[in-house]
Amino acid sequence: MTTTPAGAADLRTQVAIIGAGPAGMLLSHLLAAGGVESVVVESRSAEYVASRIRAGILEQSTVDLMRSAGLGDRLGREGHEHRGIYLQWPQERHHLDFVDLTGRSVFVYGQTEVQKDLVAARTAAGQEDHYEITDTALHDLGTDRPSVTFTDSSGAARRVTADVVVGCDGSFGPSRSSVPAPVRQTWEKTYPYSWLGILADVAPSTDELIYAWHPDGFAMHSMRSATVSRLYLQVPNGTDPQTWSDDRIWESLATRLGHGQDGWQLTPGPITEKSVLPMRSNVSTPMRHGRLFLAGDAAHIVPPTGAKGLNLAVADVGLLAPALVDLLRRNDSRLADAYSETALRRVWRCTHFSWWMTTMLHTSGDEFDQQLQLSQLRWVTSSEAGATGLAENYAGLPIGF
Ligand code: FAD
Ligand code: DHB
């Protein structure tokens, strides 16, 4: 790995990675396994990144990749494998068994846990990270000596010169807009609703996730462990979470999730986190320009319904790591040249699936739309072809699809 004399302003590495979220940290881990060194720079503190409550469901291909990368031990011990999900609407609840339908399953294992595992692996490997940096800027991306400059946590100006820069800096980072405007194309959709998400110290009231259509709005029951539940309610855009009291949240969840229906009961508990998540789709292309590559939320955002955001970030990195190893160790650019086009096939598949799940389950107030949604839900839960389509997308297509 790159060693820098104390106090020196400049660093040299093979891959400069911007962003220490799951995409950046997993990429650095996979590159190290392939014999390629990297430096990760991150604007937040390590503690902040590790404690952000975000995704909770890992699809089969994410789990396979983590295992093959030596990151599967705690996931195997503490993750919970789910065979499928429940889809419901008033008076009806149906289980879709992904294992029966596709031979693939999903795992409940929070993004916080994935992040901890990645940080532990990177620390054990003695890799170099810079947290709490400011003024991140990308330079010379059209040359074979691109660089990233920043101010480090002590206030010193630094430059990392690399062979390749990878933007893993999420939707608000500077990498995406470093692809020049004439080349860059962006597709975007903002949905007319948001999610109010809560974390609660109470055992889940269900063995597998429940996705519920209801005339009052969508609700979902997820979980993080045997003692921690994660639940969501559809709310209007611009909702202030503080205007929702804990009692109102539990009452709405009980109504929308069907408390009392066929004897099923929702057990409330202390709410430890409450936040509102706006929903949008966004794809920015190409995912490579010169010596800059984009991965994860830096290139695309999906609405959370269907749990694709984290999985898509992992899939990008699963393609990019071997491409960069070939490029930098064997001077073979074929996979790197194909990266953007290959990754975007999966990105658009997941963008469609997330849009489809979102529009099937969230109420817009339009009565015609409601009838279409209920018809779609009946078809997906009664036709093997319909159920298999949902299962195949939810449990995840193989890396490289
Ligand atoms: P991120 O995790 O966003 O990491 C990007 C990193 O880059 C961040 O740590 C950021 O601080 C850093 N960065 C940004 N700018 C700079 C800069 N200038 N310099 C240096 N570093 C910078 N997905 C699901 O599947 N299910 C969910 O339930 C779910 N819930 C979510 C809730 C919220 C509030 C959000 C925001 C996202 C949620 N997602 C969910 C999406 C999922 O968390 C993301 O898809 C996933 O985190 C993508 O990983 P990433 O590494 O690409 O980006
Ligand atoms: C979770 C989030 C999702 O968007 C989803 O579809 C399933 C689970 C979660 O946070 O647990």
Side-chain angles (χ1 to χ4, degrees):
M1 68 166 271
T2 311
T3 48
T4 314
D10 290 320
L11 306 166
R12 177 79 182 92
T13 189
Q14 289 177 290
V15 181
I17 299 174
I18 307 174
M25 293 301 270
L26 180 60
L27 179 63
S28 79
H29 180 78
L30 296 176
L31 289 175
V36 170
E37 64 182 32
S38 59
V39 170
V40 179
V41 298
E42 164 62 49
S43 53
R44 302 289 197 153
S45 69
E47 298 69 34
Y48 179 89
V49 176
S51 61
R52 284 185 298 212
I53 306 297
R54 288 184 167 184
I57 302 292
L58 305 185
E59 60 185 40
Q60 183 78 57
S61 34
T62 298
V63 171
D64 293 346
L65 183 68
M66 286 186 64
R67 285 186 170 147
S68 69
L71 296 164
D73 285 358
R74 208 162 62 88
L75 168 61
R77 284 196 311 276
E78 297 176 23
H80 293 273
E81 185 169 8
H82 283 192
R83 293 183 64 94
I85 57 167
Y86 296 97
L87 269 183
Q88 74 169 50
W89 58 97
Q91 312 310 325
E92 303 238 15
R93 179 177 291 174
H94 299 265
H95 186 251
L96 264 55
D97 191 311
F98 301 157
V99 179
D100 284 350
L101 291 162
T102 69
R104 295 161 75 77
S105 58
V106 294
F107 282 69
V108 172
Y109 194 67
Q111 185 166 331
T112 44
E113 306 315 304
V114 173
Q115 190 74 30
K116 277 182 213 153
D117 294 343
L118 288 167
V119 171
R122 199 167 156 83
T123 307
Q127 301 271 317
E128 183 160 349
D129 300 330
H130 295 267
Y131 284 93
E132 298 183 68
I133 65 156
T134 51
D135 309 321
T136 313
L138 295 79
H139 309 274
D140 304 323
L141 300 169
T143 74
D144 59 3
R145 282 288 174 273
S147 65
V148 177
T149 55
F150 60 94
T151 305
D152 74 15
S153 56
S154 72
R158 310 290 295 258
R159 178 183 292 272
V160 186
T161 306
D163 299 315
V164 160
V165 172
V166 184
C168 296
D169 45 356
S171 55
F172 300 110
S175 298
R176 172 192 291 226
S177 52
S178 297
V179 177
V183 179
R184 185 163 29 109
Q185 196 165 0
T186 304
W187 289 266
E188 190 151 36
K189 181 174 178 65
T190 301
Y191 298 84
Y193 26 71
S194 300
W195 276 11
L196 172 65
I198 62 158
L199 209 55
D201 275 341
V202 59
S205 301
T206 178
D207 57 342
E208 297 195 337
L209 272 60
I210 305 171
Y211 288 76
W213 182 97
H214 191 277
D216 291 355
F218 170 72
M220 187 171 75
H221 192 331
S222 182
M223 60 199 72
R224 287 292 177 274
S225 69
T227 55
V228 176
S229 296
R230 177 86 168 137
L231 299 108
Y232 298 98
L233 284 168
Q234 177 186 340
V235 292
N237 282 345
T239 296
D240 174 358
Q242 298 319 319
T243 59
W244 280 73
S245 68
D246 293 7
D247 285 349
R248 182 178 174 206
I249 290 173
W250 284 115
E251 277 162 26
S252 298
L253 286 166
T255 304
R256 298 187 197 183
L257 289 168
H259 177 86
Q261 193 176 304
D262 294 328
W264 181 79
Q265 307 230 311
L266 176 68
T267 309
I271 294 176
T272 56
E273 203 255 359
K274 202 189 281 188
S275 56
V276 167
L277 172 64
M279 300 174 80
R280 66 192 172 108
S281 298
N282 180 303
V283 180
S284 183
T285 69
M287 289 173 64
R288 180 220 179 147
H289 183 71
R291 287 289 176 128
L292 170 68
F293 294 78
L294 300 177
D297 280 16
H300 40 73
I301 306 288
V302 290
T305 335
K308 284 290 157 237
L310 171 61
N311 292 297
L312 207 43
V314 169
D316 286 351
V317 165
L319 281 180
L320 185 55
L324 294 182
V325 171
D326 275 4
L327 181 71
L328 300 175
R329 294 202 61 195
R330 298 185 254 284
N331 204 23
D332 177 349
S333 67
R334 282 174 299 177
L335 290 179
D337 291 343
Y339 169 69
S340 180
E341 200 181 325
T342 312
L344 282 166
R345 286 184 54 176
R346 189 190 193 88
V347 168
W348 279 114
R349 177 86 302 282
C350 292
T351 300
H352 174 265
F353 177 66
S354 306
W355 165 85
W356 179 74
M357 286 287 280
T358 300
T359 50
M360 177 169 72
L361 287 162
H362 291 71
T363 46
S364 66
D366 183 310
E367 290 183 12
F368 181 78
D369 286 353
Q370 289 198 0
Q371 294 308 320
L372 295 184
Q373 290 175 319
L374 291 168
S375 168
Q376 178 85 337
L377 282 163
R378 279 186 216 106
W379 176 66
V380 161
T381 51
S382 60
S383 145
E384 192 171 329
T388 305
L390 189 152
E392 193 173 274
N393 282 279
Y394 195 112
L397 297 149
I399 298 272
F401 160 81

